[in-house]
Amino acid sequence: DTGVSQDPRHKITKRGQNVTFRCDPISEHNRLYWYRQTLGQGPEFLTYFQNEAQLEKSRLLSDRFSAERPKGSFSTLEIQRTEQGDSAMYLCASSSTGSTGELFFGEGSRLTVL
Amino acid sequence: QKEVEQNSGPLSVPEGAIASLNCTYSDRGSQSFFWYRQYSGKSPELIMFIYSNGDKEDGRFTAQLNKASQYVSLLIRDSQPSDSATYLCAVKQRAGKSTFGDGTTLTVKP
């Protein structure tokens, strides 16, 4: 198992453009999480899935953000009409039900909005 | 008030000393507590988890939990320069998300 993988690792875009990130979790993990982290802050929860169901979404999450996990495997996070404040590291993590609850993180996708 | 608060850093200790990291949380329904280590430019990785009141030891690391006081701590004994990193406290309800603090940056000086 290669762990959680994220793509792309870096994305530079202009304000107003749409961006999409992909996350492939550890294959036997049925839970998938998206977090956002900025410098000097801890990871901020965005949303999570159990299998293909999106079970929770942060109240802070603008409607410009949408996430999917159509077949309960990989997930995508799309940000529409990006703003400079969206610049951050987007972290994906996975875990399995019945486990300790430990999160296994990918290397992250760094977004820079110019 | 943030849901998970950590003692403000940065924290600097000499090599071989004990580093003490603290965390408080606001949700009394929290059931699982985690310490993650994050090296600069890297993703968080789990060091320890604890569910029950008391101490849990793993090598040089000891996690302590006091649910009545809503307090979690991490002690690192015989600190090494390789322990220099940001330590994130995370708190999880029975099901669902883990909520993270903003971390405490530890520097261990040789």
Side-chain angles (χ1 to χ4, degrees):
Chain A
D1 194 337
T2 57
V4 179
S5 63
Q6 294 187 243
D7 184 72
R9 295 290 309 279
H10 303 275
K11 179 71 176 179
I12 300 174
T13 192
K14 293 183 179 179
R15 188 176 53 188
Q17 299 295 304
N18 298 345
V19 296
T20 299
F21 301 115
R22 175 179 170 126
C23 172
D24 287 87
I26 293 172
S27 57
E28 61 267 28
H29 286 180
N30 60 343
R31 287 186 174 170
L32 186 148
Y33 302 78
W34 285 100
Y35 284 84
R36 174 172 63 189
Q37 188 175 27
T38 54
L39 193 63
Q41 306 292 312
E44 175 192 19
F45 171 77
L46 296 179
T47 189
Y48 97 95
F49 295 83
Q50 180 162 307
N51 301 314
E52 64 276 10
Q54 187 173 21
L55 296 188
E56 189 173 352
K57 186 175 176 180
S58 170
R59 292 189 303 274
L60 302 175
L61 205 59
S62 146
D63 58 8
R64 296 184 297 105
F65 288 70
S66 62
E68 293 183 340
R69 194 182 183 198
K71 296 183 179 179
S73 57
F74 73 92
S75 175
T76 57
L77 176 69
E78 181 182 19
I79 309 174
Q80 296 182 327
R81 304 181 302 282
T82 52
E83 302 173 356
Q84 288 186 325
D86 297 331
S87 295
M89 178 71 82
Y90 290 84
L91 294 167
C92 177
S94 68
S95 71
S96 60
T97 51
S99 71
T100 61
E102 171 186 1
L103 297 178
F104 293 82
F105 284 89
E107 291 299 315
S109 292
R110 180 168 295 283
L111 173 65
T112 302
V113 182
L114 301 176
Chain B
Q1 181 187 4
K2 297 194 71 169
E3 291 183 55
V4 179
E5 301 219 29
Q6 298 187 236
N7 52 329
S8 59
L11 177 65
S12 180
V13 300
E15 184 174 357
I18 296 175
S20 177
L21 305 162
N22 303 315
C23 173
T24 58
Y25 60 94
S26 60
D27 186 347
R28 286 194 172 273
S30 301
Q31 297 198 350
S32 308
F33 307 86
F34 304 85
W35 285 99
Y36 289 82
R37 177 176 61 201
Q38 186 172 28
Y39 290 114
S40 180
K42 299 294 186 181
S43 295
E45 57 179 348
L46 183 75
I47 299 175
M48 291 192 70
F49 64 89
I50 186 167
Y51 300 144
S52 305
N53 279 328
D55 295 358
K56 179 181 179 182
E57 187 174 319
D58 184 1
R60 296 186 296 110
F61 298 94
T62 299
Q64 299 174 316
L65 173 61
N66 183 325
K67 289 187 177 179
S69 300
Q70 296 174 249
Y71 174 87
V72 194
S73 68
L74 180 70
L75 298 178
I76 306 174
R77 290 183 300 281
D78 187 25
S79 296
Q80 301 297 307
S82 59
D83 295 327
S84 298
T86 295
Y87 290 80
L88 298 163
C89 173
V91 173
K92 185 177 183 300
Q93 288 72 45
R94 183 170 53 88
K97 67 178 188 283
S98 289
T99 301
F100 287 80
D102 285 336
T104 299
T105 298
L106 171 67
T107 301
V108 180
K109 295 187 175 180

